Amino acid sequence: MSAKASTAARIAEEAAAAPLCAVFRRHLRSVRLKYTPERAGVLDAIIERDGLFEVEELLNDLRDRRLRISKATVYRTLRLLQDAGIIMPAQIDARQSHYQLVYGRAPRDQMVCVRTGRVIEFTDPEIRTLRDRICRRAGWAPVTHRLQIFGVSPEDAGAEPPAS
Amino acid sequence: MSAKASTAARIAEEAAAAPLCAVFRRHLRSVRLKYTPERAGVLDAIIERDGLFEVEELLNDLRDRRLRISKATVYRTLRLLQDAGIIMPAQIDARQSHYQLVYGRAPRDQMVCVRTGRVIEFTDPEIRTLRDRICRRAGWAPVTHRLQIFGVSPEDAGAEPPAS
DNA sequence: GTGCGTGCAAAGACTTTGCACGTAC
DNA sequence: GTACGTGCAAAGTCTTTGCACGCAC
């Protein structure tokens, strides 16, 4: 990806990110809950992470920002954000819990290197087209999808398999 | 899927299933481990399950067959089967651990109903083609993939969202 | 007798829950 | 004062590990 394309993508994402807190607020109101500083803090940290993140990272980020938000609250907020359709579990790895920001952006697909575990995110419009075609044939209404391609990246082709 | 197609598929799968224990045995030998009755029992139970399964189901199946194989051994065997490339984690749900049989069969993709959590497996050749094209462009060597399409199935269109 | 395999129970990693206290309308 | 939110610690769920015993070559 060129620097130019990446910059354009970032600007587009920042524009999309702006209303996220509004989306969250709207959802909370609809279920009669409040938009508290803790909840806002968690969402902000997620937006900063831009895409894929782990709970552990989020907790660190919040700690770094001197926001003292308990683990319990973070987990509770993650569930609310899921309900709001803002994030979804990414499930890269069974042990660690990864989530990804999904609201207002095309689903990010992942290529995972089976040698090193390295994850590269990408979006391919053809996947979406194919997904919608498959759904149409089956009579389903598509909502989103998750695609993980496992393979060996050229950089890691000589690497040892991970310790696991 | 018609009864005829399903029968044909089953026969094909049974043919493919036969050598699975040989594949496992070969892998075990290559890492200087033994093909024990416990390990065979776990693999058999997985083959019976045909595709997607959870650890809990496996444990029940083994118990039903009066095979007393401890949970620890099942988990240890699952790891070996993963190493052998026979199964892989399916990660449908963060809580339950799902696995799927992958050796010698096209990866099964899943459509997950967001209303009910119902999972339907399918295989679409175009997905594989697209996957390989994406890999080629990126210089990766494809190994396998996992695709989950989330949507609303026609049968469940009126259903309540799950309790979660 | 060395190496591997197993079951059991304990320990781990991560997540959820119960509870008491706070705060806002 | 009612309803919701939070932190803390405890409980829970699922998985892995430590250890002693057993078996096979």
Side-chain angles (χ1 to χ4, degrees), chain B residues 114-131:
Chain B
V114 296
R115 290 270 169 75
T116 61
R118 197 154 62 92
V119 178
I120 291 178
E121 291 195 290
F122 68 97
T123 296
D124 186 308
E126 292 181 77
I127 291 168
R128 192 194 169 112
T129 307
L130 178 53
R131 168 195 97 183

Side-chain angles (χ1 to χ4, degrees), chain A residues 34 55 71-72 75-76 79 95-97:
Chain A
K34 290 165 197 159
V55 175
K71 209 175 276 201
Y75 279 109
R76 285 187 277 233
R79 176 174 294 205
R95 303 301 307 281
Q96 238 78 20
S97 77

Side-chain angles (χ1 to χ4, degrees), chain B residues 34 55-56 71-72 75-76 79 95-97 99:
Chain B
K34 290 166 196 158
V55 175
E56 202 50 42
K71 208 175 276 202
Y75 278 110
R76 286 187 278 234
R79 178 175 292 205
R95 303 297 307 282
Q96 238 78 19
S97 76
Y99 286 84

